[in-house]
Amino acid sequence: MKKIVIRIPATSSNLGAGINSLGIAFALYSTVIVEEKTDRWRVNHSLKGIPHDANNLIVQTILRINPKIAPRQLTVMSDIPQAHGLGHSTASIIAGIKIANVLGHMNLTLDQQINIGNQLMGHPECVASGILGDLTASYANGKRVSTVKTHMPQVYALMYIIPHYNSKQHSVPPIKKVTLSEMIQSIDVSNVLIAAVMDNRWTKASMMMEKDPIKAHHRKVGLHDLKVIRNQAHQLGIYGTYLNGQGPLIITFGQRIELNRLHDRLSDDASLKGAIRVLGIDRNGTTVRGE
């Protein structure tokens, strides 16, 4: 059998108030090559702290979906940074789903793949945007996921990675701290956001990204950096800066030329210690070649 090449985009969730619902894919990729059969699973890569054997998340996903699949040699080449809020683990799970589907001749639909991914990781928005690409809105009721893909305007994203972030120290606050009023406002904001995107009203959509009633009272990590970046962006007339989840990533959407100016300003700010880069949006999601 010829080699199978799977390419999975980086992903981000929430876009402000769209908690566990809105996801987006970026033009930064993890590539997995499925090679010959072997006596045991071998995963070749240069990633720090990631297993090279059957304990690898990709292999674990394959075997959870179809334990009868024979071991293979896999080669992973990833530009998605680990533990930085861009879906490194999501990419591994999606790769496992795609490999199980091909090698197991399962003929899973995209909807079935998204549902499996949600069962395995509990974040439908990340799985949906990684598989489908572009901007997705998802709803999960504990049993099934319903997803709609829409087209994000022709914008880019400036990524600021918050330094020294530790997810174990900055866990998501208990839901009991969220008031009914905050929940209703968050739903209202995310509804207007997605409607504005679908109507190609980018100014209104970007304004909605900066409104986040639920998480506004709970964030601790990155607040200083968020304020600095948002203020600098506003001075340039750029709106659409938000903290991805509880961190460790701050994202600003805008036109490429605008974001390059913002990049230069932020690079000159001594109070900001994180890494900065500008990325495009992936429109196609995960691709599989050599089936």
Side-chain angles (χ1 to χ4, degrees):
M1 186 188 76
K2 58 185 177 181
K3 294 180 180 179
I4 300 167
V5 181
I6 301 167
R7 191 177 77 157
I8 312 100
T11 53
S12 169
S13 63
N14 301 339
L15 277 77
I19 301 171
N20 288 349
S21 176
L22 301 183
I24 191 166
F26 295 109
L28 189 68
Y29 301 95
S30 178
T31 301
V32 181
I33 303 172
V34 183
E35 302 179 88
E36 69 274 5
K37 288 184 179 180
T38 57
D39 59 335
R40 56 187 174 82
W41 287 98
R42 295 186 175 92
V43 186
N44 304 316
H45 63 79
S46 58
L47 302 169
K48 185 177 180 180
I50 303 296
H52 291 267
D53 56 15
N55 292 310
N56 187 283
L57 183 56
I58 298 173
V59 180
Q60 289 286 297
T61 301
I62 295 169
L63 297 179
R64 288 186 67 178
I65 297 170
N66 191 333
K68 295 182 179 180
I69 292 178
R72 298 270 178 163
Q73 176 168 277
L74 309 177
T75 297
V76 180
M77 297 167 289
S78 181
D79 292 324
I80 303 175
Q82 297 171 249
H84 285 312
L86 280 170
H88 183 271
S89 296
T90 301
S92 296
I93 289 173
I94 292 174
I97 293 170
K98 293 292 187 179
I99 293 170
N101 188 43
V102 174
L103 297 184
H105 307 287
M106 300 178 70
N107 297 316
L108 296 170
T109 65
L110 293 177
D111 181 66
Q112 289 172 325
Q113 293 173 34
I114 292 169
N115 275 274
I116 290 171
N118 179 58
Q119 291 170 11
L120 294 177
M121 69 175 297
H123 285 282
E125 77 285 4
C126 298
V127 176
S129 56
I131 290 176
L132 301 178
D134 220 315
L135 176 64
T136 61
S138 300
Y139 163 72
N141 64 3
K143 295 181 180 180
R144 292 199 58 78
V145 178
S146 296
T147 296
V148 175
K149 174 181 175 179
T150 189
H151 184 69
M152 190 76 165
Q154 296 296 327
V155 293
Y156 288 78
L158 182 143
M159 310 285 184
Y160 173 84
I161 297 176
I162 300 170
H164 312 303
Y165 177 86
N166 187 325
S167 60
K168 294 181 180 179
Q169 294 177 2
H170 301 289
S171 57
V172 178
I175 194 70
K176 65 182 181 181
K177 293 185 179 180
V178 178
T179 67
L180 177 60
S181 175
E182 289 173 328
M183 292 179 65
I184 293 172
Q185 289 180 47
S186 182
I187 293 169
D188 292 345
V189 169
S190 58
N191 285 344
V192 174
L193 166 58
I194 198 70
V197 168
M198 295 179 74
D199 198 36
N200 201 31
R201 298 174 64 181
W202 175 248
T203 299
K204 185 175 287 293
S206 62
M207 294 286 187
M208 290 297 105
M209 288 182 189
E210 299 199 351
K211 298 181 184 298
D212 191 356
I214 287 182
K215 287 180 286 186
H217 303 305
H218 307 308
R219 288 171 172 154
K220 295 180 181 179
V221 61
L223 280 179
H224 168 267
D225 294 355
L226 177 65
K227 183 177 180 180
V228 170
I229 294 171
R230 189 171 279 170
N231 286 342
Q232 291 278 19
H234 288 181
Q235 290 177 25
L236 294 171
I238 306 170
Y239 293 82
T241 299
Y242 67 95
L243 181 66
N244 176 41
Q246 294 297 308
L249 194 66
I250 296 171
I251 298 177
T252 303
F253 285 105
Q255 299 300 318
R256 184 66 181 260
I257 191 168
E258 296 176 330
L259 295 182
N260 286 339
R261 294 193 189 106
L262 179 59
H263 182 288
D264 292 341
R265 282 200 179 194
L266 300 181
S267 298
D268 292 337
D269 193 315
S271 71
L272 298 177
K273 308 296 182 182
I276 306 170
R277 67 184 303 174
V278 176
L279 295 175
I281 295 171
D282 173 88
R283 305 292 180 177
N284 300 315
T286 298
T287 59
V288 180
R289 292 188 289 111
E291 291 184 81

